[in-house]
Amino acid sequence: MNDLRKQERAPTSSEKAQSNGGRYSDAALMPPVDVIEDGSGITLFADLPGVSRDKLNLQVEIGTLTIDAEIDLKLPEGLQSSHTEVGLGRFHRTFTLSSELDTEKVTAELADGVLTLRIPKAEHAKPRRIEVSTA
């Protein structure tokens, strides 16, 4: 038998944000990341769709790399989303870095929604050739 009573719907993420003073809670999406290591260091690729450079915060502190970013997608004025699959407006991820990495020389680039971080190995951790003398 069909039940025709009105069902309560779950609030959308924008409704949740409005009821929370326009701000999302501390919840965040964990961006997918690929890490590639070679002889000279590591390269980290993080997917951050919808993030602009001014909404991206990268920090290295005491051997920890932190990525914090806010999604910068806005609906045109007068429109309201009827369905939202990604309701959180923030990315957050932390990584513990090896002491073999030189955190003073980190480089970062953001292009087409992909953050590329390059962290070289410290000089003491790079392979080096040892000369052998004859007696």
Side-chain angles (χ1 to χ4, degrees), residues 76-90:
E77 191 171 325
L79 294 182
Q80 183 175 350
S81 176
S82 61
H83 176 76
T84 302
E85 291 196 9
V86 178
L88 299 174
R90 187 171 162 252

